[in-house]
Amino acid sequence: MKLNLKRPIVFFDLETTGTDISKDRIVEISVLKVMPDGEEILKTRKINPGIPIPLESSLIHKIYDEDVKDCPPFKQVARDLDQFLKGCDLGGYNLLRFDIPLLAEEFLRCDIDFDIENRNVVDACRIFHQMEKRTLSAAYKFYCDKSLENAHSAEADTVATYHILMAQLDRYQNTPVEVTEGVEEYPVQNDMEQLHKFTVQKTADLSGRIVYNNSGQEVFNFGKYKNVSVEEVLQKEPSYYDWMMKGDFPLHTKKVLTRIRLRNVQLS
């Protein structure tokens, strides 16, 4: 099967120093650009994170400080990577919860505003969990009937994700899903916009600290003001903005918070 693409889609995977979006850094990135005509461009690069790689992380992805000491820092490759991604949809495995937010943080540190607003995002993990409920290695075995060699290397995981999505399209394109009682749809189609709608959960910021309620309002998704309108909190307790801006929150969360605050100032 060939993906039905209106524009290129880039599958990518990150190996990192850890799982904290605000603090951790990329140590390896692999990108696989699939063109509408079927051409595939695969690139993999190790990155010097500028901080020590914890042993517990190295034991997972097999990348140690010695392996990246002579590699470029992210800021040295950021512009080229941003250009490579421009005009492309994005695909990956669990990229909505981790890879995209962390990549956005790395870009923001380089003063590059990485945005997914006008892209389709296809998360094979979300399709897998909603249709079968299971890890990347298990998904690869289930859909492709192969064992995933070199799991937790960025390149192996990236290529496996691409093959998983292709197999998912084969398996589920004629499988209905009940979206509301008595109403069925066929959400897994060879169409990036349809897959985007099926796999993306709408959040205001990339890490999910601020989400939209049923009325389309931005609300906090954590802490004492969970499910409370951001605008309402900022009006009633202006110091909450300062607390968040000084706190250990992702840069993208702070950017969205500031945008909401400035929007209210302009309206007042």
Side-chain angles (χ1 to χ4, degrees), residues 184-202:
E184 291 184 339
E185 292 182 357
Y186 295 82
V188 183
Q189 299 293 327
N190 193 353
D191 180 278
M192 297 307 109
E193 292 180 7
Q194 181 66 35
L195 292 174
H196 169 81
K197 291 177 183 177
F198 186 51
T199 64
V200 169
Q201 292 176 310
K202 187 69 171 174

mmCIF file of all heavy atoms in Angstrom, residues 184-202:
data_model
loop_
_atom_site.group_PDB
_atom_site.id
_atom_site.type_symbol
_atom_site.label_atom_id
_atom_site.label_comp_id
_atom_site.label_asym_id
_atom_site.label_seq_id
_atom_site.Cartn_x
_atom_site.Cartn_y
_atom_site.Cartn_z
ATOM 1 N N GLU A 184 -21.895 4.726 13.750
ATOM 2 C CA GLU A 184 -20.581 4.160 13.454
ATOM 3 C C GLU A 184 -19.884 4.958 12.364
ATOM 4 O O GLU A 184 -20.530 5.507 11.469
ATOM 5 C CB GLU A 184 -20.716 2.696 13.010
ATOM 6 C CG GLU A 184 -21.160 1.753 14.121
ATOM 7 C CD GLU A 184 -21.185 0.304 13.663
ATOM 8 O OE1 GLU A 184 -21.252 0.075 12.430
ATOM 9 O OE2 GLU A 184 -21.119 -0.591 14.523
ATOM 10 N N GLU A 185 -18.567 5.009 12.478
ATOM 11 C CA GLU A 185 -17.747 5.638 11.446
ATOM 12 C C GLU A 185 -16.587 4.710 11.111
ATOM 13 O O GLU A 185 -16.306 3.757 11.837
ATOM 14 C CB GLU A 185 -17.206 6.997 11.922
ATOM 15 C CG GLU A 185 -18.268 8.066 12.091
ATOM 16 C CD GLU A 185 -17.685 9.405 12.512
ATOM 17 O OE1 GLU A 185 -16.447 9.474 12.717
ATOM 18 O OE2 GLU A 185 -18.460 10.373 12.644
ATOM 19 N N TYR A 186 -15.916 5.007 9.999
ATOM 20 C CA TYR A 186 -14.726 4.257 9.584
ATOM 21 C C TYR A 186 -13.546 5.227 9.654
ATOM 22 O O TYR A 186 -13.141 5.805 8.639
ATOM 23 C CB TYR A 186 -14.911 3.695 8.175
ATOM 24 C CG TYR A 186 -16.005 2.667 8.088
ATOM 25 C CD1 TYR A 186 -17.337 3.051 7.970
ATOM 26 C CD2 TYR A 186 -15.712 1.299 8.155
ATOM 27 C CE1 TYR A 186 -18.351 2.105 7.902
ATOM 28 C CE2 TYR A 186 -16.718 0.349 8.092
ATOM 29 C CZ TYR A 186 -18.043 0.755 7.963
ATOM 30 O OH TYR A 186 -19.037 -0.192 7.914
ATOM 31 N N PRO A 187 -12.953 5.427 10.858
ATOM 32 C CA PRO A 187 -11.966 6.496 11.049
ATOM 33 C C PRO A 187 -10.583 6.211 10.487
ATOM 34 O O PRO A 187 -9.820 7.141 10.240
ATOM 35 C CB PRO A 187 -11.904 6.632 12.573
ATOM 36 C CG PRO A 187 -12.231 5.258 13.068
ATOM 37 C CD PRO A 187 -13.243 4.709 12.107
ATOM 38 N N VAL A 188 -10.236 4.938 10.315
ATOM 39 C CA VAL A 188 -8.883 4.614 9.840
ATOM 40 C C VAL A 188 -8.913 4.488 8.325
ATOM 41 O O VAL A 188 -9.209 3.422 7.765
ATOM 42 C CB VAL A 188 -8.341 3.327 10.498
ATOM 43 C CG1 VAL A 188 -6.907 3.063 10.039
ATOM 44 C CG2 VAL A 188 -8.395 3.448 12.015
ATOM 45 N N GLN A 189 -8.644 5.591 7.666
ATOM 46 C CA GLN A 189 -8.641 5.655 6.213
ATOM 47 C C GLN A 189 -7.288 6.176 5.735
ATOM 48 O O GLN A 189 -6.569 6.838 6.475
ATOM 49 C CB GLN A 189 -9.758 6.592 5.722
ATOM 50 C CG GLN A 189 -11.158 6.156 6.116
ATOM 51 C CD GLN A 189 -11.593 4.869 5.427
ATOM 52 O OE1 GLN A 189 -11.203 4.618 4.283
ATOM 53 N NE2 GLN A 189 -12.384 4.062 6.123
ATOM 54 N N ASN A 190 -6.967 5.913 4.493
ATOM 55 C CA ASN A 190 -5.703 6.357 3.909
ATOM 56 C C ASN A 190 -5.825 7.831 3.529
ATOM 57 O O ASN A 190 -5.775 8.221 2.366
ATOM 58 C CB ASN A 190 -5.352 5.509 2.689
ATOM 59 C CG ASN A 190 -3.917 5.711 2.243
ATOM 60 O OD1 ASN A 190 -3.209 6.580 2.755
ATOM 61 N ND2 ASN A 190 -3.475 4.901 1.304
ATOM 62 N N ASP A 191 -6.017 8.650 4.554
ATOM 63 C CA ASP A 191 -6.205 10.082 4.387
ATOM 64 C C ASP A 191 -5.645 10.768 5.627
ATOM 65 O O ASP A 191 -6.103 10.511 6.744
ATOM 66 C CB ASP A 191 -7.699 10.402 4.226
ATOM 67 C CG ASP A 191 -7.960 11.884 4.046
ATOM 68 O OD1 ASP A 191 -7.993 12.598 5.068
ATOM 69 O OD2 ASP A 191 -8.123 12.324 2.895
ATOM 70 N N MET A 192 -4.646 11.636 5.447
ATOM 71 C CA MET A 192 -3.942 12.196 6.594
ATOM 72 C C MET A 192 -4.843 13.105 7.439
ATOM 73 O O MET A 192 -4.722 13.142 8.671
ATOM 74 C CB MET A 192 -2.706 12.975 6.141
ATOM 75 C CG MET A 192 -1.658 12.108 5.432
ATOM 76 S SD MET A 192 -1.165 10.641 6.391
ATOM 77 C CE MET A 192 -1.933 9.323 5.423
ATOM 78 N N GLU A 193 -5.763 13.827 6.811
ATOM 79 C CA GLU A 193 -6.665 14.688 7.584
ATOM 80 C C GLU A 193 -7.589 13.846 8.452
ATOM 81 O O GLU A 193 -7.862 14.177 9.615
ATOM 82 C CB GLU A 193 -7.469 15.586 6.643
ATOM 83 C CG GLU A 193 -6.612 16.638 5.933
ATOM 84 C CD GLU A 193 -7.426 17.516 4.994
ATOM 85 O OE1 GLU A 193 -8.669 17.388 5.000
ATOM 86 O OE2 GLU A 193 -6.811 18.303 4.260
ATOM 87 N N GLN A 194 -8.098 12.732 7.914
ATOM 88 C CA GLN A 194 -8.969 11.843 8.682
ATOM 89 C C GLN A 194 -8.206 11.200 9.832
ATOM 90 O O GLN A 194 -8.707 11.105 10.963
ATOM 91 C CB GLN A 194 -9.547 10.761 7.765
ATOM 92 C CG GLN A 194 -10.500 9.792 8.457
ATOM 93 C CD GLN A 194 -11.778 10.447 8.930
ATOM 94 O OE1 GLN A 194 -12.290 11.354 8.284
ATOM 95 N NE2 GLN A 194 -12.284 9.997 10.065
ATOM 96 N N LEU A 195 -6.983 10.765 9.571
ATOM 97 C CA LEU A 195 -6.177 10.155 10.627
ATOM 98 C C LEU A 195 -5.812 11.179 11.697
ATOM 99 O O LEU A 195 -5.742 10.854 12.887
ATOM 100 C CB LEU A 195 -4.911 9.532 10.030
ATOM 101 C CG LEU A 195 -5.136 8.310 9.134
ATOM 102 C CD1 LEU A 195 -3.818 7.875 8.494
ATOM 103 C CD2 LEU A 195 -5.742 7.161 9.923
ATOM 104 N N HIS A 196 -5.581 12.420 11.280
ATOM 105 C CA HIS A 196 -5.308 13.497 12.232
ATOM 106 C C HIS A 196 -6.482 13.660 13.186
ATOM 107 O O HIS A 196 -6.308 13.731 14.406
ATOM 108 C CB HIS A 196 -5.061 14.794 11.463
ATOM 109 C CG HIS A 196 -5.020 16.027 12.309
ATOM 110 N ND1 HIS A 196 -3.898 16.407 13.017
ATOM 111 C CD2 HIS A 196 -5.972 16.969 12.567
ATOM 112 C CE1 HIS A 196 -4.163 17.533 13.675
ATOM 113 N NE2 HIS A 196 -5.418 17.898 13.416
ATOM 114 N N LYS A 197 -7.692 13.699 12.652
ATOM 115 C CA LYS A 197 -8.880 13.867 13.495
ATOM 116 C C LYS A 197 -9.034 12.695 14.458
ATOM 117 O O LYS A 197 -9.479 12.866 15.598
ATOM 118 C CB LYS A 197 -10.126 13.978 12.612
ATOM 119 C CG LYS A 197 -10.190 15.259 11.795
ATOM 120 C CD LYS A 197 -11.416 15.258 10.892
ATOM 121 C CE LYS A 197 -11.460 16.501 10.024
ATOM 122 N NZ LYS A 197 -12.628 16.481 9.091
ATOM 123 N N PHE A 198 -8.680 11.503 14.019
ATOM 124 C CA PHE A 198 -8.856 10.300 14.840
ATOM 125 C C PHE A 198 -7.811 10.198 15.942
ATOM 126 O O PHE A 198 -8.090 9.681 17.024
ATOM 127 C CB PHE A 198 -8.795 9.064 13.943
ATOM 128 C CG PHE A 198 -9.107 7.765 14.654
ATOM 129 C CD1 PHE A 198 -10.254 7.626 15.426
ATOM 130 C CD2 PHE A 198 -8.245 6.681 14.544
ATOM 131 C CE1 PHE A 198 -10.537 6.424 16.071
ATOM 132 C CE2 PHE A 198 -8.531 5.477 15.180
ATOM 133 C CZ PHE A 198 -9.675 5.351 15.942
ATOM 134 N N THR A 199 -6.597 10.699 15.699
ATOM 135 C CA THR A 199 -5.507 10.460 16.644
ATOM 136 C C THR A 199 -5.141 11.639 17.515
ATOM 137 O O THR A 199 -4.487 11.467 18.545
ATOM 138 C CB THR A 199 -4.224 9.991 15.906
ATOM 139 O OG1 THR A 199 -3.768 11.032 15.045
ATOM 140 C CG2 THR A 199 -4.479 8.737 15.103
ATOM 141 N N VAL A 200 -5.538 12.853 17.127
ATOM 142 C CA VAL A 200 -5.092 14.036 17.868
ATOM 143 C C VAL A 200 -6.131 14.433 18.914
ATOM 144 O O VAL A 200 -7.326 14.496 18.632
ATOM 145 C CB VAL A 200 -4.837 15.223 16.916
ATOM 146 C CG1 VAL A 200 -4.644 16.507 17.706
ATOM 147 C CG2 VAL A 200 -3.605 14.957 16.073
ATOM 148 N N GLN A 201 -5.667 14.662 20.122
ATOM 149 C CA GLN A 201 -6.491 15.238 21.171
ATOM 150 C C GLN A 201 -6.171 16.728 21.234
ATOM 151 O O GLN A 201 -5.020 17.109 21.414
ATOM 152 C CB GLN A 201 -6.202 14.574 22.519
ATOM 153 C CG GLN A 201 -6.650 13.118 22.581
ATOM 154 C CD GLN A 201 -6.277 12.465 23.888
ATOM 155 O OE1 GLN A 201 -5.150 12.538 24.331
ATOM 156 N NE2 GLN A 201 -7.246 11.823 24.500
ATOM 157 N N LYS A 202 -7.174 17.562 21.105
ATOM 158 C CA LYS A 202 -6.969 18.999 21.004
ATOM 159 C C LYS A 202 -6.549 19.589 22.342
ATOM 160 O O LYS A 202 -7.290 19.538 23.320
ATOM 161 C CB LYS A 202 -8.258 19.662 20.526
ATOM 162 C CG LYS A 202 -8.134 21.148 20.222
ATOM 163 C CD LYS A 202 -7.280 21.425 19.002
ATOM 164 C CE LYS A 202 -7.347 22.890 18.599
ATOM 165 N NZ LYS A 202 -6.421 23.211 17.522
#
